[in-house]
Amino acid sequence: MKVERYLILFILVIPVLILRDFTPNNELKYLSIVDEALRDGHFFTFYNQGEIYADKPPLYFWLLMFSKWIWGEYSMFGLSLFSIIPALVSIYVMNKWVEAETAASTRWTASLMLFTSALFIGSGLVLRMDMLMCMFILLALYTFYKRYSGKGRPIDRFLLPFYVFMAIFSKGPVGIVVPLISMIVFLMVKKEIRHFGHYFGWREWGILSGFCIVWFSCIYLEGGSAYLNNLLFHQTINRAIDSFDHKKAFWYYGVTFWYAVAPWSLLYITPLVIAIKKKLLSTDKEKFFLSIIGSTFVVLSIFSAKLDIYMLPVFPFCTYLTILLLPKVKEKWVSFTLYIPIVALTIAPAALLFIERKPGIPDSPFIYIAVALLFMFSLTACWLLYRKQMYKAINCTALGILATLFTGAFALPQVNPYIGLTTAAEKAQDICEQEEIDHYYYYRFRSGENMDVFLHEEPVKITNEDSLLNIYQKGDCMIFLKEKDVMRSQTLQERLKKIHHEKIGNYYLVHPPLPVQYSETSLP
C-alpha cells in the first residue's frame, strides 16, 4: 500500500488529535504521574499522589516525559502521536505480511476495516500504552513467522526477544503471553512443537531475561523490594488468578467482541465459520492467524482481570484473516453480514435528530455536517452493496466513518468543557490569580487530585457536604464540584443556591463573590 494512503488515514484523525481535551480518569492521571516522577527524579518507579503505581511499565511514561521536553508542555497532538503512529505501523506490518497473497486494493480495504474498528481507532486516538503493546506483539509474531517460513535474517534471532520485551515494557504480562502462546499453539497445530526451541531457544530466552534483569534491578535500586514485589506479584500474578480490579466472567470477551470490532463483527465471524466448516484454511499463514486469534481469546478469558482493550492485538488478525478468506467463500453469504451494519449506519443519523440533547451542551454546525456525511456515505455503500460491489461498499462505509470523525472533531472546542477539566481548571486559575485565592479543593469526584497538572499544586479532597460548606465559609478557597454529584443531592442543591458559584461544562466552581466582570451561573 502506498505511503499516500497511510497519510490519508493520519490526516483524517488530525483534528481529533489537536482539538480534544484530556480525559480526567486516565489521561490526566498519567500526566500527573509523569509530573510527580519528574519532580521527584524517579524514572523506573512511579507514584500517583505518593502511592505506588506499578500498574504500568516505564516505556509509555518515558515517552510522555520526552514529549513534554520537546513541546515544553503537555501537547495533546504530540502525546497522541505515541498512539496513532503505532496504529499505522501495525497496519503497515499486517499489509506487509499478506502482500504476497493480496492485491494493493484489497490491502487498502483491510487497512480501512482495521482502522475503523471501534476499539482499534479508539485506542489510536486516546493516550494509552495499549497500541504500543499491540505494535510490538505484531512485530514479534511477524518476525517469528518470517523465521518459520525460511525468510528470516540473522538479526531476527535478536529482534524476536527484543520485540517481546518491548511489548512487556509497554504494557505488562500480556506482552509475553500473547506471542509465546500463539507460537506454541501454531507449532502444535503443525505437529512441530519439538522445534519451539529453534525459534525461542536459550539465546532468545537469554536476551529476554537480560533485558528483564536490567529493568528489575533498576526498579530495586530506585524503589526497593516493596515496589518490585508490587510489580511482579500484586500487579501480575494476583491480577491473573484472582484480580482485585477488572474481574469479569469467563465469557466476557465473547460479549464484548461484537462491539469492540464494530461495524465489522459479523463480517469477521461469517467467513471464518464457513472456512472452518468447509476446511478452507489451507495455508500456514491462515492457520497461524487463526492460532493467534483462538489461543489469545482462550488464554485471556481464563485470566481473572479482563478489559476490552486487552484483546487489541487480536483485531488485526481478525481483519486480515477475513481478507485472506473472502476469495474462498461465496460472496452472497458475506454480503448479508454487511447489510446489517451499513443499514444501521444509514438509519443512525436520522435517529440522532430525535435524541434529546443534554441541556447546556453547545450546538455546533459541524455535528450536523458530520451526521449528514455519515448518512450520504452509508447510503452510497448500500447502493454499492446492492450492485454486488462488496469491497467498494466496505471502503465507502469506512471512509464515511472517518469523514464523520474528521468533521465532527471541529465541534470539540465547544464540547471539551463536558469532556475534560482543562477549561474549568484554567478558569479557576484565572479567578484565583486575580482574587489572590490560595487554596483549591474538590468534592469527591474521581481523579480530582490529578488536577495538579493544571493547578501546579494538589487540590484537597472534600469528603462530605458539611465540610464543603465549612470550607467555603472560611473564604480564600476555590472548590470544584461535579454536576452529577450536585444533581444527586437535594441538600447540596439547596446550599449552592445560597453561595456564589458558576458552571463550566460538567463542573461547578464555588468561590467567594467576585467583582462584576465575572458572571454567576445559578443552578437550574
Side-chain angles (χ1 to χ4, degrees):
M1 196 171 79
K2 294 181 179 179
V3 175
E4 292 82 353
R5 288 183 169 176
Y6 293 102
L7 288 175
I8 289 172
L9 298 178
F10 179 66
I11 289 169
L12 286 172
V13 298
I14 282 180
V16 179
L17 305 184
I18 295 176
L19 300 175
R20 184 175 67 83
D21 194 7
F22 301 104
T23 59
N25 292 341
N26 282 315
E27 295 175 346
L28 196 59
K29 179 173 68 175
Y30 295 154
L31 302 186
S32 178
I33 289 169
V34 169
D35 270 351
E36 189 168 346
L38 290 171
R39 185 171 60 248
D40 298 340
H42 297 296
F43 296 96
F44 288 91
T45 56
F46 296 90
Y47 301 84
N48 187 19
Q49 312 304 333
E51 295 185 5
I52 289 178
Y53 188 82
D55 302 43
K56 309 294 188 297
L59 178 61
Y60 190 72
F61 295 132
W62 289 355
L63 293 174
L64 298 187
M65 293 175 182
F66 177 72
S67 178
K68 187 174 184 180
W69 178 69
I70 292 291
W71 298 87
E73 59 182 6
Y74 292 119
S75 161
M76 174 57 78
F77 177 74
L79 296 175
S80 296
L81 294 179
F82 302 126
S83 295
I84 197 64
I85 290 177
L88 295 174
V89 171
S90 297
I91 293 173
Y92 171 80
V93 171
M94 296 305 299
N95 283 333
K96 193 73 176 174
W97 205 335
V98 300
E99 190 173 26
E101 296 86 2
T102 56
S105 59
T106 304
R107 293 193 295 277
W108 172 234
T109 298
S111 301
L112 288 171
M113 287 170 60
L114 178 57
F115 197 62
T116 54
S117 295
L119 201 59
F120 191 87
I121 191 169
S123 303
L125 296 178
V126 299
L127 307 185
R128 288 184 65 93
M129 58 289 298
D130 302 274
M131 196 57 80
L132 273 172
M133 176 197 68
C134 178
M135 178 186 72
F136 285 120
I137 287 176
L138 294 187
L139 286 168
L141 291 170
Y142 180 48
T143 303
F144 162 79
Y145 188 78
K146 284 194 299 180
R147 291 183 62 191
Y148 177 82
S149 58
K151 299 178 182 178
R153 302 165 298 169
I155 195 174
D156 287 337
R157 297 203 68 174
F158 168 80
L159 288 178
L160 178 54
F162 172 74
Y163 289 143
V164 171
F165 172 76
M166 292 302 289
I168 301 171
F169 207 51
S170 301
K171 179 72 175 179
V174 175
I176 187 172
V177 169
V178 172
L180 288 187
I181 293 296
S182 299
M183 289 185 279
I184 290 171
V185 170
F186 173 67
L187 291 174
M188 290 174 65
V189 168
K190 295 292 295 179
K191 297 181 172 57
E192 298 177 15
I193 188 61
R194 63 185 181 279
H195 296 151
F196 178 75
H198 175 73
Y199 306 105
F200 217 95
W202 65 267
R203 183 178 301 181
E204 286 78 9
W205 282 110
I207 293 170
L208 178 59
S209 301
F211 281 125
C212 289
I213 289 170
V214 172
W215 174 26
F216 297 153
S217 298
C218 292
I219 288 175
Y220 181 79
L221 292 173
E222 191 175 87
S225 58
Y227 193 101
L228 188 60
N229 179 72
N230 191 300
L231 175 71
L232 296 180
F233 296 98
H234 185 60
Q235 296 296 336
T236 303
I237 297 175
N238 290 350
R239 276 181 180 266
I241 298 174
D242 188 15
S243 179
F244 54 88
D245 197 15
H246 310 308
K247 189 173 183 178
K248 299 291 190 300
F250 175 80
W251 57 82
Y252 177 76
Y253 292 121
V255 175
T256 62
F257 174 84
W258 296 96
Y259 62 78
V261 293
W264 315 114
S265 316
L266 287 171
L267 180 61
Y268 290 163
I269 293 295
T270 305
L272 180 58
V273 171
I274 294 172
I276 293 174
K277 184 178 180 180
K278 295 186 176 181
K279 298 180 180 180
L280 300 177
L281 291 118
S282 55
T283 68
D284 287 342
K285 193 170 296 183
E286 292 166 354
K287 293 175 182 178
F288 188 40
F289 284 11
L290 181 58
S291 298
I292 295 166
I293 295 169
S295 61
T296 302
F297 191 91
V298 171
V299 170
L300 294 187
S301 294
I302 293 172
F303 289 166
S304 177
K306 297 179 182 68
L307 280 177
D308 302 353
I309 200 72
Y310 293 168
M311 289 292 288
L312 183 63
V314 168
F315 301 151
F317 297 100
C318 292
T319 302
Y320 283 81
L321 180 58
T322 299
I323 288 297
L324 292 174
L325 294 177
L326 280 177
K328 299 182 180 183
V329 300
K330 293 182 179 180
E331 187 174 317
K332 66 178 182 180
W333 285 96
V334 179
S335 60
F336 178 75
T337 67
L338 286 171
Y339 270 115
I340 296 174
I342 292 177
V343 169
L345 289 172
T346 307
I347 297 173
L352 289 174
L353 298 177
F354 296 97
I355 295 177
E356 185 178 355
R357 187 166 50 87
K358 183 179 177 181
I361 295 182
D363 226 344
S364 171
F366 291 109
I367 294 177
Y368 294 102
I369 295 171
V371 168
L373 283 172
L374 181 61
F375 174 76
M376 289 188 293
F377 273 92
S378 301
L379 190 62
T380 304
C382 284
W383 181 78
L384 289 169
L385 202 55
Y386 174 75
R387 296 291 301 273
K388 301 188 185 303
Q389 299 179 27
M390 185 180 61
Y391 289 98
K392 289 184 178 180
I394 294 173
N395 293 354
C396 188
T397 303
L399 289 171
I401 293 170
L402 293 175
T404 301
L405 184 66
F406 177 86
T407 308
F410 290 99
L412 283 172
Q414 294 175 268
V415 182
N416 272 334
Y418 298 87
I419 296 175
L421 279 158
T422 302
T423 305
E426 289 176 349
K427 179 69 172 178
Q429 268 193 307
D430 182 47
I431 293 172
C432 291
E433 286 177 4
Q434 295 197 35
E435 297 305 310
E436 299 183 352
I437 295 173
D438 295 326
H439 305 290
Y440 295 99
Y441 297 84
Y442 69 97
Y443 179 64
R444 278 195 327 191
F445 61 85
R446 182 181 173 189
S447 291
E449 68 277 8
N450 297 318
M451 285 192 293
D452 59 355
V453 173
F454 305 119
L455 304 175
H456 307 297
E457 63 177 86
E458 184 181 347
V460 179
K461 184 177 182 178
I462 302 174
T463 56
N464 59 70
E465 297 172 5
D466 291 331
S467 298
L468 190 154
L469 187 60
N470 292 335
I471 290 171
Y472 176 80
Q473 289 173 342
K474 293 179 182 178
D476 190 27
C477 64
M478 170 67 69
I479 306 174
F480 295 83
L481 296 93
K482 199 164 188 177
E483 182 182 19
K484 70 176 183 180
D485 290 325
V486 174
M487 294 297 102
R488 289 172 179 172
S489 170
Q490 187 64 38
T491 303
L492 199 53
Q493 292 180 48
E494 292 299 323
R495 287 182 174 178
L496 271 182
K497 290 178 181 178
K498 301 175 184 178
I499 60 180
H500 188 88
H501 63 274
E502 56 190 290
K503 187 172 183 294
I504 306 292
N506 283 328
Y507 298 89
Y508 289 95
L509 306 183
V510 177
H511 51 83
L514 301 172
V516 293
Q517 66 261 31
Y518 293 102
S519 60
E520 291 188 24
T521 303
S522 60
L523 282 170

